[in-house]
Amino acid sequence: YIQLPPSRKSSLHSTMAFASTSAMACCSRCGSDAHMAAGCPKPFFRPVCRGCGRLGHDEARCPQKRREGAAARQAEWEAGRDAWQARKEAWEVRKEAWEVRKAALEAKQAARETRFGSKDIDALSDSAASATTAATVAEPAAPPMLSVIEEKEARKLERKLRDVVQLEDRAARGENLDALQLAKIGRRRDLEGALVMQKVRAGYGRRSDITAGP
């Protein structure tokens, strides 16, 4: 036990009192001396989301905003798919109508050949050829087909887009994605904007066999 002189004790008490007063006069949360902890604007050092107003994450990682974005992109993709399906069905209807008219024309030609005999076969053949040519010109042209290289590229891009949709669904459920997965989601617009995908949405015919062909 060390006995301090009275002057030293007074100086020590003054120093401790000043330190205690300074500590009480500043904010224990952010260290500012302009306010106390009760009036500190910082919410316990936890970020506040500007999208949903909740604590614990920022706007870039907001699950609610991700779900809304994923739902909007899914709805846009489904609308494009439905439009393409409608164009395909309309083309198939026109194709079936053209085949019916062609079969009727061939049946009419066969009936005429039977009625007039062999002497008029040549003349009727020329007339039927002209009628077939005129009908072919009048019919709308069949939709263009993707080349083999374009079909391969389209299938590759469609696989990547399906992976992006799955990642967006995981993000919408609140799962944490790494930087590579977030980068894949960010490339969705580039994938959908590729020339071959624009052709697919425009109604270009697809190929089932990609082993050979132009």
Side-chain angles (χ1 to χ4, degrees):
Y1 179 75
I2 300 175
Q3 183 69 30
L4 296 176
S7 60
R8 187 70 178 274
K9 287 183 178 181
S10 176
S11 175
L12 181 60
H13 287 317
S14 299
T15 302
M16 294 177 63
F18 176 76
S20 177
T21 303
S22 299
M24 294 178 62
C26 67
C27 177
S28 61
R29 188 177 302 165
C30 65
S32 174
D33 57 358
H35 56 265
M36 302 300 290
C40 182
K42 293 187 177 181
F44 301 98
F45 298 104
R46 298 176 64 188
V48 179
C49 177
R50 295 183 180 180
C52 64
R54 297 181 179 179
L55 301 176
H57 61 269
D58 53 14
E59 186 176 3
R61 298 179 177 275
C62 179
Q64 179 178 342
K65 187 175 180 180
R66 288 182 177 180
R67 286 193 294 269
E68 293 174 354
R73 289 188 293 269
Q74 181 69 17
E76 181 181 357
W77 180 81
E78 291 178 354
R81 182 191 60 186
D82 294 341
W84 174 82
Q85 186 67 26
R87 290 193 297 269
K88 180 181 178 183
E89 292 176 356
W91 176 80
E92 290 177 350
V93 169
R94 292 194 299 269
K95 180 181 177 183
E96 291 177 358
W98 176 81
E99 291 177 349
V100 169
R101 289 194 293 271
K102 180 181 177 183
L105 180 61
E106 292 176 350
K108 187 176 181 180
Q109 179 183 356
R112 284 183 178 181
E113 291 176 354
T114 303
R115 184 185 307 169
F116 293 109
S118 60
K119 63 180 180 178
D120 294 329
I121 289 178
D122 295 336
L124 290 174
S125 298
D126 295 338
S127 177
S130 300
T132 303
T133 303
T136 303
V137 172
E139 287 297 325
M145 295 286 293
L146 294 178
S147 65
V148 174
I149 297 177
E150 289 175 334
E151 179 65 31
K152 292 180 180 180
E153 182 66 17
R155 295 185 183 185
K156 180 180 178 181
L157 293 176
E158 286 172 345
R159 286 195 298 271
K160 291 183 177 181
L161 285 172
R162 287 194 294 270
D163 294 340
V164 169
V165 171
Q166 292 177 359
L167 291 175
E168 289 175 346
D169 291 339
R170 291 174 55 189
R173 292 193 297 269
E175 296 185 18
N176 293 326
L177 304 180
D178 55 31
L180 181 59
Q181 292 171 330
L182 293 175
K184 288 183 178 180
I185 294 177
R187 289 196 298 269
R188 174 168 184 167
R189 187 177 299 274
D190 296 335
L191 297 175
E192 293 177 340
L195 178 60
V196 66
M197 297 306 298
Q198 294 179 15
K199 289 184 177 181
V200 170
R201 291 194 296 271
Y204 274 57
R206 302 298 297 271
R207 293 179 179 271
S208 58
D209 184 9
I210 59 176
T211 58

